[in-house]
Amino acid sequence: MQSVARQVRYASRLGTPVQFRITSSPIQWQCQRRAASHYNPLQWIQEKFAPKARKADPVEEKKRGEQEKQGQQSVFEAAVSHEKGGRPKKTSTESAPTVVKKKATQHKYSTANFKISHRKLNMIGRQISGKPIDHAIVQMQFSEKRATSRIKSMLATAKLHATVYKNMDPSKLIVSEAWVTKGPKQLKRLEPRGRGKFGIRVHPDSRMHVILREGKTFEQLKKEQRERRLKRIVSAGLVREDVPLRNPARTWQW
């Protein structure tokens, strides 16, 4: 009995079918039944998922041969084949079309809310409004007001963003508009007064907004100003000029 079981185990490992002759012995009949009903799942998995050689597709082989042949052609042969067979397919090495940045007309920027009165901040806004961006930064650099350091950093950041993100010319940027708004929530605290009374102390906060646009440079402005001043000058030549007198004196001089 042990020899029969050993033969069954050895045959199941090899994967060969086991055949026994049916006899009248009950022991041999049981061995034959066990061997016939034996199922090895590992062997089925190996057969199902074992790597197999890929079958060559004749259509893909033909396309690959045509591409290799086309790559080995000269410039003139490729031109002839292009006229006969149509346009060649675009390769991945061809550069993509360049994206041109759209030039913006203005750039808006603002500070965060900080502790300052809107009246005080509005005075600084009037100081930089209408000036070129570089001159506005210089004004903030040499000003003695406490909030000018924050405004100076805001103007420098706005200039950088307009140059990089909006593709604007930094030499022509001017502070076209500057305005001030109050903060969303102003702190209110109690302020003790005389005779047991109290008042409400408001701690204001505000922020500044600016709009940068491209305008005339400082050299252009100086040139126009010089032309305007020269136009007002009346020469004292021999030929009479039909120009009204500037700053006429009184009739009597005593």
Side-chain angles (χ1 to χ4, degrees), residues 45-236:
I45 293 174
Q46 291 176 359
E47 294 177 356
K48 189 70 176 177
F49 297 100
K52 299 179 181 179
R54 184 180 177 183
K55 295 181 179 180
D57 191 359
V59 180
E60 294 182 359
E61 291 290 338
K62 186 178 179 181
K63 289 182 179 180
R64 192 179 296 108
E66 291 178 356
Q67 292 177 359
E68 292 178 356
K69 184 178 179 182
Q70 186 177 359
Q72 295 175 359
Q73 289 179 351
S74 63
V75 179
F76 302 103
E77 294 176 353
V80 173
S81 62
H82 173 70
E83 293 178 356
K84 292 182 178 180
R87 296 182 178 179
K89 296 183 179 180
K90 293 184 179 180
T91 58
S92 59
T93 57
E94 294 182 2
S95 60
T98 56
V99 179
V100 180
K101 291 184 179 180
K102 188 177 179 180
K103 195 172 183 180
T105 57
Q106 66 181 18
H107 178 64
K108 181 182 176 183
Y109 202 73
S110 60
T111 62
N113 290 322
F114 62 100
K115 186 177 177 181
I116 189 174
S117 173
H118 63 279
R119 293 184 179 90
K120 295 179 182 178
L121 193 59
N122 195 30
M123 294 168 63
I124 302 175
R126 290 199 299 266
Q127 186 178 355
I128 64 175
S129 179
K131 287 185 172 61
I133 186 67
D134 295 332
H135 288 247
I137 292 174
V138 171
Q139 289 289 331
M140 295 296 101
Q141 184 176 359
F142 292 99
S143 178
E144 296 181 356
K145 296 184 180 296
R146 177 173 54 88
T148 53
S149 60
R150 191 185 294 263
I151 303 301
K152 182 186 70 173
S153 62
M154 183 265 292
L155 292 175
T157 307
K159 177 184 176 183
L160 179 64
H161 289 185
T163 306
V164 176
Y165 301 130
K166 299 293 184 65
N167 197 21
M168 301 175 74
D169 190 3
S171 62
K172 296 182 178 181
L173 288 178
I174 62 172
V175 184
S176 178
E177 300 178 23
W179 69 95
V180 177
T181 57
K182 294 182 179 180
K185 294 182 180 179
Q186 295 184 348
L187 296 177
K188 295 181 180 180
R189 296 292 182 265
L190 296 179
E191 185 179 8
R193 295 286 186 178
R195 299 185 179 184
K197 298 181 180 180
F198 64 90
I200 297 177
R201 179 86 174 187
V202 179
H203 298 271
D205 58 344
S206 55
R207 61 191 304 184
M208 180 182 287
H209 311 265
V210 295
I211 291 181
L212 304 183
R213 292 191 177 94
E214 288 187 356
K216 297 179 181 179
T217 60
F218 184 70
E219 289 76 11
Q220 293 176 351
L221 294 176
K222 283 186 65 176
K223 185 177 179 181
E224 292 179 359
Q225 184 180 9
R226 185 172 182 274
E227 289 177 355
R228 285 197 304 269
R229 289 180 178 178
L230 290 175
K231 192 175 181 181
R232 294 179 60 184
I233 296 176
V234 179
S235 62

